[in-house]
Amino acid sequence: MDDYVGHFEESSKESGNICLAAHNRGYKNNYFSRLKELQEGDEITYTYHNIERTYMVTKHEIIENTDWSNLEPTEENTITLITCVENEPEYRRCIQGIEKKRM
């Protein structure tokens, strides 16, 4: 995670629940530095090789660092973003979004 956004190996990189993690401060690369600003209804764009999807934020919550329930597989295309909570090592910020259907 020092150089890239991390991917939870149990999740897909292409469909279902794509689960990613990154630093938000204090490191050379803080890819999720503005993650805490996201609100329900905001958009997240995910690009991986030839795939580009847009997701709408549906959840923004603080979870315990032992709570892995948000990483479970999903039928619909979902994105889950995880990062630390400042000065609270026992907690994580969790953002989830569902894919916006193209019209």
Side-chain angles (χ1 to χ4, degrees):
M1 287 191 350
D2 287 341
D3 294 318
Y4 305 99
V5 172
H7 170 255
F8 288 91
E9 292 180 2
E10 300 81 16
S11 75
S12 172
K13 293 179 183 175
E14 298 179 5
S15 61
N17 190 8
I18 298 169
C19 305
L20 307 171
H23 296 300
N24 63 50
R25 65 187 181 100
Y27 291 86
K28 177 177 77 172
N29 295 305
N30 300 295
Y31 293 107
F32 285 179
S33 64
R34 299 187 66 197
L35 201 70
K36 66 183 175 184
E37 297 173 20
L38 287 176
Q39 299 177 21
E40 288 186 23
D42 286 347
E43 291 185 356
I44 298 167
T45 300
Y46 172 75
T47 305
Y48 175 73
H49 293 292
N50 62 344
I51 297 169
E52 182 173 300
R53 288 200 178 98
T54 302
Y55 298 85
M56 183 178 64
V57 174
T58 57
K59 182 193 298 187
H60 183 153
E61 64 183 6
I62 304 300
I63 59 173
E64 292 185 10
N65 64 357
T66 56
D67 179 0
W68 301 107
S69 62
N70 292 296
L71 305 181
E72 295 292 325
T74 59
E75 291 287 324
E76 60 188 359
N77 289 331
T78 305
I79 195 162
T80 301
L81 309 176
I82 305 283
T83 194
C84 295
V85 175
E86 299 83 354
N87 303 314
E88 296 193 45
E90 65 278 4
Y91 295 102
R92 299 289 180 265
R93 184 174 309 278
C94 176
I95 307 290
Q96 280 192 316
I98 57 170
E99 182 179 17
K100 287 182 69 174
K101 301 299 180 194
R102 296 178 187 206
M103 304 232 172

